[in-house]
Amino acid sequence: MQTDGSTTRPPRSPRATAPTLLYARPGIVVTSERFNVGGNSWRVAELTQLWTARGPHDRLALRAVAVTAALIGTVGVLLGFTGGLQRLTATAYLALGAVGLLPLLLVAIGDRWRPPAYELWGRHRGAEVLLFSSDDQRQFGQVTRALRRAWEGARQGGWTEPPTSADPWRPKR
């Protein structure tokens, strides 16, 4: 104890510091040293690039668009060869035009119903690797930010903990 009433702590012993936990949810853990998703695990220091992308569109929606476009095209060709296009009224032409927009409507509905997944890609030992994929934009953003923080920390030479455990200075009253 010092004369002014303050106390001093002995210096900390140099020991290995535990990795800093940046994100943890069931099946996903991001620390300052490792990135674990499901059964896969990567050392953050071994990742050389990180980028995000959107996954492929839903297969069912793509098939529905292809079938609809093929049917509309077939009907148009058959009407053209049979001479039926010359006998159609203006209302029928408008109806054909509206039906022609059906594939675009199916694309819009398919993307709202089952949007493409958000994907986080990286280079690990020279190979492109899909690190993480999610339909949830919020979760994807949190995981991506945590991994980028860990990756930048590894590039800067490691993590140093802020001095949160030190006692703050308080004036004597």
Side-chain angles (χ1 to χ4, degrees):
M1 177 96 69
Q2 296 185 4
T3 57
D4 64 352
S6 65
T7 60
T8 59
R9 291 186 175 173
R12 291 185 180 191
S13 63
R15 58 185 160 117
T17 59
T20 304
L21 180 65
L22 300 171
Y23 183 85
R25 290 286 184 266
I28 306 166
V29 177
V30 181
T31 67
S32 58
E33 295 177 3
R34 296 202 73 78
F35 178 49
N36 302 314
V37 177
N40 299 323
S41 180
W42 298 275
R43 288 191 61 228
V44 173
E46 292 177 354
L47 299 174
T48 56
Q49 290 179 339
L50 296 175
W51 68 91
T52 60
R54 292 298 295 263
H57 293 280
D58 185 45
R59 290 182 188 171
L60 180 63
L62 290 177
R63 289 179 184 153
V65 169
V67 167
T68 305
L71 286 175
I72 292 170
T74 303
V75 168
V77 168
L78 287 176
L79 283 174
F81 280 128
T82 60
L85 287 175
Q86 289 128 3
R87 287 177 270 165
L88 292 178
T89 64
T91 308
Y93 276 112
L94 287 175
L96 281 175
V99 169
L101 295 177
L102 187 59
L104 296 176
L105 181 65
L106 285 174
V107 166
I109 290 172
D111 276 349
R112 291 287 267 168
W113 181 47
R114 301 235 5 216
Y118 298 93
E119 296 179 342
L120 176 62
W121 289 82
R123 283 201 179 275
H124 182 255
R125 297 181 181 166
E128 289 184 3
V129 179
L130 177 61
L131 300 171
F132 179 67
S133 178
S134 176
D135 291 338
D136 185 6
Q137 184 179 11
R138 182 172 184 244
Q139 180 189 36
F140 178 79
Q142 291 172 346
V143 170
T144 301
R145 280 189 299 276
L147 183 59
R148 284 193 192 271
R149 284 182 57 209
W151 187 68
E152 289 169 359
R155 298 285 168 256
Q156 303 281 330
W159 280 80
T160 57
E161 289 293 321
T164 56
S165 61
D167 290 331
W169 179 83
R170 290 194 174 98
K172 291 177 102 180
R173 293 184 187 209

